[in-house]
Amino acid sequence: MSSRITKAVIPAAGLGTRFLPATKAMPKEMLPVVDKPAIQYVVEEAVAAGLDDVLMIIGRNKNALANHFDRATELEHTLEVKGDGAKLSKVQESSDLADVHFVRQGDPKGLGHAVLRAKKHVGDQSFAVLLGDDLIDARDPLLTRMLDEHDKRGATIVALLEVDPASIHLYGAAAVEATDDPDVVRITGLVEKPAADVAPSNFAVIGRYVLRPEVFGVLEHTAPGKGGEIQLTDALMEMADDVEGTGGVYGVVFRGRRYDTGDKLDYIKAVIQLAADREDLGADLKPWLTEYVAGFDRG
Ligand code: UTP
């Protein structure tokens, strides 16, 4: 791991309205994916890429998140007394994982506004941003590749996924230019949630970023954009013009497995796929699934 970047920022202060009423009293990042909250997978991904200083941007219902990454002394004691070491280590996994810090966003004024809340903690180093409801399969490492690309080019890096043109309106879309590397493109333009007929491409920006610290200065003067929110996409658009020699913005094209756990259908798919691949569940789940699906044809 060559990168000198050590800090990861995880914005988790959105309202999660697509998942109501489950998210009425709980952040969507705490929804369980099999038996772990989605955000624990994201922290594990950051740690696997060498980033063990994690700052979470939290909003309302912050306690569930803070408690999950804290010790649970009473529960740990009870399991210890029972001699249940396996369950004890499950409880301790999340608090031992990383050095986790929290900062409040206050009003959810957009992803750009959430990232700006990390300024004091991050200082003047580059850092990674991982969206807490976007899961990248641990078998398809993306962040390490992005950190390497940042080190090589000295530039801001975003992750891109080629999506069906019919769903580009759900993402930030990038206008791109080829580079010498087939998996890396230079970003020449970005549009937040464009209609399919005006989208510059079907390259969608997904929830992983490696940002240079100059992004904070840009975000400070970024006006509210789409949906009245301060958009990270708008700040990145400005940086793509290589403002103040910040190296521009490049995209790493991701071809692996990714699940958007903030979306109901994708969430269900994530639970099924990850459970089917698990050693403790797959052997029972897969034949049941096959039978269940066969029932669709029988009507
Ligand atoms: P989303 O747009 O997916 O989150 O933001 P949302 O607004 O919570 O979702 P819905 O549409 O109402 O269901 C992408 C990421 O940015 C964070 C969210 O928590 C999510 O991880 N975010 C968004 C913030 O931290 N603060 C904000 O003001 C907005």
Side-chain angles (χ1 to χ4, degrees):
M1 236 161 285
S2 58
S3 182
R4 281 169 292 118
I5 297 180
T6 55
K7 289 183 180 164
V9 172
I10 305 185
L15 294 177
T17 54
R18 280 168 294 167
F19 242 109
L20 283 168
T23 47
K24 186 178 171 190
M26 180 179 78
K28 64 176 166 183
E29 290 80 3
M30 282 302 292
L31 288 168
V33 177
V34 189
D35 51 7
K36 275 192 285 194
I39 198 157
Q40 188 174 328
Y41 291 85
V42 177
V43 175
E44 286 170 356
E45 180 192 339
V47 172
L51 316 181
D52 59 4
D53 178 331
V54 174
L55 177 72
M56 284 182 196
I57 316 293
I58 52 178
R60 67 196 183 98
N61 305 323
K62 60 174 180 135
N63 290 344
L65 277 166
N67 290 344
H68 184 71
F69 291 97
D70 199 354
R71 299 291 302 271
T73 337
E74 236 174 85
L75 178 57
E76 288 175 38
H77 178 71
T78 309
L79 292 170
E80 242 163 43
V81 171
K82 279 188 175 173
D84 196 337
K87 290 202 180 101
L88 180 63
S89 67
K90 291 268 171 219
V91 171
Q92 291 171 336
E93 243 170 39
S94 53
S95 52
D96 292 346
L97 201 52
D99 194 2
V100 183
H101 309 267
F102 299 92
V103 65
R104 296 297 299 267
Q105 186 182 7
D107 289 331
K109 292 184 190 160
L111 179 57
H113 181 257
V115 170
L116 187 52
R117 297 290 295 128
K119 182 180 174 186
K120 203 164 164 194
H121 183 85
V122 167
D124 61 359
Q125 312 157 22
S126 292
F127 62 106
V129 172
L130 295 86
L131 298 195
D133 58 353
D134 216 341
L135 299 196
I136 300 295
D137 199 300
R139 294 163 292 186
D140 303 322
L142 166 63
L143 192 55
T144 308
R145 179 74 215 278
M146 294 173 71
L147 291 168
D148 290 347
E149 215 53 51
H150 166 273
D151 291 353
K152 182 174 148 197
R153 298 181 192 266
T156 287
I157 310 289
V158 301
L160 297 176
L161 184 73
E162 264 190 288
V163 299
D164 183 332
S167 46
I168 194 69
H169 67 283
L170 301 170
Y171 299 89
V176 302
E177 232 170 45
T179 68
D180 50 351
D181 184 329
D183 289 332
V184 180
V185 289
R186 195 174 80 80
I187 308 271
T188 58
L190 284 166
V191 194
E192 185 61 22
K193 301 190 169 76
D197 55 340
V198 294
S201 74
N202 58 342
F203 278 119
V205 178
I206 56 168
R208 298 294 179 271
Y209 309 81
V210 179
L211 302 177
R212 286 183 50 133
E214 290 85 355
V215 73
F216 294 126
V218 177
L219 281 169
E220 271 162 355
H221 66 243
T222 300
K226 193 110 185 172
E229 295 191 338
I230 297 174
Q231 299 286 355
L232 181 59
T233 307
D234 292 342
L236 292 175
M237 181 61 238
E238 192 176 324
M239 292 182 82
D241 290 337
D242 197 6
V243 272
E244 296 159 22
T246 52
V249 179
Y250 288 81
V252 168
V253 180
F254 181 58
R255 305 184 205 279
R257 288 158 281 191
R258 174 239 177 203
Y259 318 96
D260 174 6
T261 58
D263 175 79
K264 269 182 272 198
L265 185 59
D266 251 23
Y267 169 81
I268 294 164
K269 290 180 189 169
V271 174
I272 295 172
Q273 288 180 63
L274 291 172
D277 289 346
R278 283 254 303 242
E279 255 175 46
D280 57 339
L281 297 168
D284 290 331
L285 178 64
K286 282 190 263 191
W288 176 83
L289 260 179
T290 312
E291 183 133 331
Y292 181 62
V293 172
F296 297 158
D297 298 333
R298 294 196 290 268

